[in-house]
Amino acid sequence: MSDRSSIEWTEATWNPTTGCDRVSSGCDNCYALTLAKRLKAMGSAKYQNDGDPRTSGPGFGLTVHADALSVPYGWKSPRTVFVNSMSDLFHARVPLDFVRRVFEVMADTPQHTYQVLTKRARRLRQVADRLEWPENVWMGVSVETAKELPRVDDLRRVPAAVRFLSCEPLLGPLDGLDLDGIGWVIIGGESGPGARPMDLVWATDLVELSREAGCAPFVKQLGSRWSGSHKDIETFPADLRVREYPAERAYA
């Protein structure tokens, strides 16, 4: 976990679990899997559990860290917190009782705003009514291609104060996307070795769709394909220089 984060749409990260398994095309070049391998080699205690080599990797086996539950209580100033930047809280091997404990911590620290993001939208929907949903929890799902659009329908059934989409890496047009009930859309290309290109038209279409739906668009970055000419937001095409937050955001 980190008291600060370089991720453009959050301020800090908190990892009560680490490790994951690939479930869709957006996982193919997973930054967390690569980082976990490096952290294991460095001797980091949280990354010594290896995952299945077919879906995971060195240091990236799903691991629950009960000792991490106390971390948010030590943050004195309010902040926006990305929960499980190195895992997925709704992974099948995270016990529901532990998920509840994570939600209890979030409820106990209302000065912070928590952003939970999952690719396991089906499990999220199945257990949502067995969780207490405090107002400071935002819930999101990853949508990389049109194949993942059913995740949005699952998310719509979750009683979170803010529901959001992470369309990163955006790997194709999201034709047919319905933003009813969604408050925030994060858009981004893929970065790193072997990055697949994002067509800027896909991103522009998402910004326009978000505007029409009254949903806040946030263009994080355009990916490695465009990093030479559009590295910083000041150099993005004018219609993609957009970083908005939902109106319900607790603080700037």
Side-chain angles (χ1 to χ4, degrees):
M1 72 221 59
S2 172
D3 193 29
R4 298 297 172 189
S5 174
S6 61
I7 299 171
E8 290 85 347
W9 47 264
T10 198
E11 295 174 338
T13 57
W14 173 43
N15 284 286
T17 72
T18 56
C20 202
D21 291 273
R22 296 184 183 93
V23 292
S24 60
S25 58
C27 303
D28 290 351
N29 295 319
C30 178
Y31 75 90
L33 191 154
T34 301
L35 180 56
K37 181 179 180 180
R38 188 181 313 142
L39 290 170
K40 175 182 172 70
M42 293 168 58
S44 176
K46 291 184 71 170
Y47 298 93
Q48 297 305 308
N49 184 20
D50 294 344
D52 186 328
R54 296 170 297 179
T55 57
S56 184
F60 209 51
L62 195 287
T63 308
V64 170
H65 301 283
D67 59 334
L69 293 174
S70 63
V71 170
Y73 295 102
W75 289 332
K76 299 187 183 302
S77 59
R79 62 204 61 198
T80 305
V81 184
F82 178 19
V83 180
N84 276 357
S85 61
M86 295 292 291
S87 187
D88 189 326
L89 188 61
F90 291 91
H91 191 289
R93 287 190 284 115
V94 178
L96 181 57
D97 283 347
F98 190 77
V99 177
R100 287 197 182 105
R101 292 176 69 188
V102 171
F103 270 66
E104 288 169 3
V105 172
M106 295 190 290
D108 283 347
T109 52
Q111 70 272 29
H112 305 313
T113 298
Y114 294 93
Q115 301 159 316
V116 184
L117 179 63
T118 186
K119 286 183 171 70
R120 275 80 178 176
R122 180 178 298 179
R123 189 186 186 208
L124 166 66
R125 170 176 54 81
Q126 291 171 340
V127 304
D129 62 354
R130 287 181 271 173
L131 300 170
E132 296 293 331
W133 290 85
E135 290 296 313
N136 61 329
V137 173
W138 300 4
M139 189 68 232
V141 297
S142 298
V143 182
E144 314 99 297
T145 70
K147 184 178 180 181
E148 284 77 48
L149 289 179
R151 293 177 183 169
V152 186
D153 293 326
D154 288 330
L155 178 63
R156 253 188 288 273
R157 297 173 62 179
V158 174
V162 174
R163 303 181 193 90
F164 71 94
L165 307 183
S166 175
C167 304
E168 182 190 16
L170 184 58
L171 302 175
L174 298 184
D175 297 337
L177 174 62
D178 179 3
L179 290 177
D180 182 48
I182 306 301
W184 195 33
V185 177
I186 300 167
I187 303 163
E190 189 167 53
S191 299
R196 292 157 287 185
M198 177 182 73
D199 191 321
L200 296 186
V201 172
W202 306 337
T204 300
D205 287 349
L206 270 182
V207 170
E208 292 178 356
L209 182 63
S210 298
R211 297 274 196 222
E212 293 169 2
C215 180
F218 187 107
V219 180
K220 178 187 169 189
Q221 45 80 25
L222 305 184
S224 294
R225 166 65 177 80
W226 302 101
S227 61
S229 55
H230 302 305
K231 184 176 182 179
D232 303 310
I233 190 168
E234 292 79 10
T235 63
F236 290 3
D239 53 0
L240 293 178
R241 296 175 198 162
V242 180
R243 287 185 175 170
E244 298 178 8
Y245 290 89
E248 293 85 352
R249 192 179 191 220
Y251 52 88

